[in-house]
Amino acid sequence: MPKFDVLTIGNAIVDILARCDDDFLSDNAITKGAMNLIDAERAELLYSKMGPAVEASGGSAGNTAAGIAGFGGKAAYFGKVAEDQLGQIFQHDIRAQGVHYQTKPEGTHPPTARSMIFVTPDGERSMNTYLGACVDLGPEHVEEDVVAEAKVTYFEGYLWDPPRAKEAIRESARIAHEHGREVSMTLSDPFCVGRYRAEFLDLMRSGTVDIVFANKQEALSLYETEDFELALKKISQDCKLAAVTLSEEGAIIVRGEERVKIDAYPIRELVDTTGAGDLFAAGFLFGYTQDRSLEDCGKLGCLAAAICIQQIGPRPMASLTEAAKKQGLL
């Protein structure tokens, strides 16, 4: 039996979250709802302008690993931090969730990545990310035995920004497929898709990636179309399995000619959308690696996302296992 259900690979980031209004975003040239890459100087500037903030370990794939562990799955994670306070916070938090994490920190410069996340009254999150130590993730950090022992290796599209991470992903995919495992990715962000469209499509069409996660905007961006039906048709042809989230409308799962529509779970209040897609992927992959039906996988994903968006921060404080039991999914 494989030792891990899912290995996730991503940018190890500590999120610093604060509320703001839309005028603040305009005044500070922040693109609403997107992940904006920034340098160290701008990171300091934005931090100085933030109101009261909450620090929480984040990073897209890190959130997914934590979510899988929260469902009772066996998760592992690769991601690079520095030997500093934020690095210690990140290491503590992900290990406390029960995730296998052994990537060694090296030095204090560049420092651990951080993302200043501004949450507007509508719950939308606008991320401003300084990648810091993330850029040092490379093929030498790939633990071959962990990849070989994971049913699915999952990585975030954001990893296409730091250059050496691409080599780490390709090496991980090679090892995974060599051992009969599957590889999955999330498209991460419409702007990320815009930067790397050709490479993402090549990853899918070459068979490097088997399972793709996207939201509606990312799927449309990938195929440069406003026709969602066309985007769904194309994504079903380009990979073995795709899950496309639709915010309050739930999600659509496509596998070849098969299509499964999943309704969103009702929520009391939309607080913060940070991590919603990451937690959808967590629920889905947990179900997938337990050989559940596509419908159950989608329901587990939508449930995790619904819990996530009713709190501040990307890693659910409520028990995912208990919530799934209440819904009859476990």
Side-chain angles (χ1 to χ4, degrees), residues 37-54:
L37 283 176
I38 59 174
D39 59 17
E41 186 179 354
R42 181 154 170 81
E44 292 296 329
L45 175 67
L46 289 178
Y47 185 63
S48 72
K49 293 185 173 186
M50 285 186 114
V54 174

Side-chain angles (χ1 to χ4, degrees), residues 15 17 54 56-57 63 117 119 271-276 279 307-317:
D15 294 336
L17 301 105
V54 174
S57 292
N63 297 336
I117 301 179
V119 183
V271 175
D272 174 18
T273 58
T274 308
L279 269 293
I307 291 168
C308 179
I309 64 176
Q310 295 181 81
Q311 63 166 51
I312 284 282
R315 298 190 184 175
M317 298 166 203

Side-chain angles (χ1 to χ4, degrees), residues 111-146:
T112 296
R114 70 285 315 266
S115 184
M116 268 61 69
I117 301 179
F118 296 94
V119 183
T120 39
D122 58 1
E124 185 60 88
R125 86 287 182 270
S126 305
M127 300 179 287
N128 302 269
T129 304
Y130 168 56
L131 288 176
C134 289
V135 300
D136 290 335
L137 184 71
E140 69 273 20
H141 299 112
V142 173
E143 299 162 50
E144 184 166 353
D145 58 330
V146 176

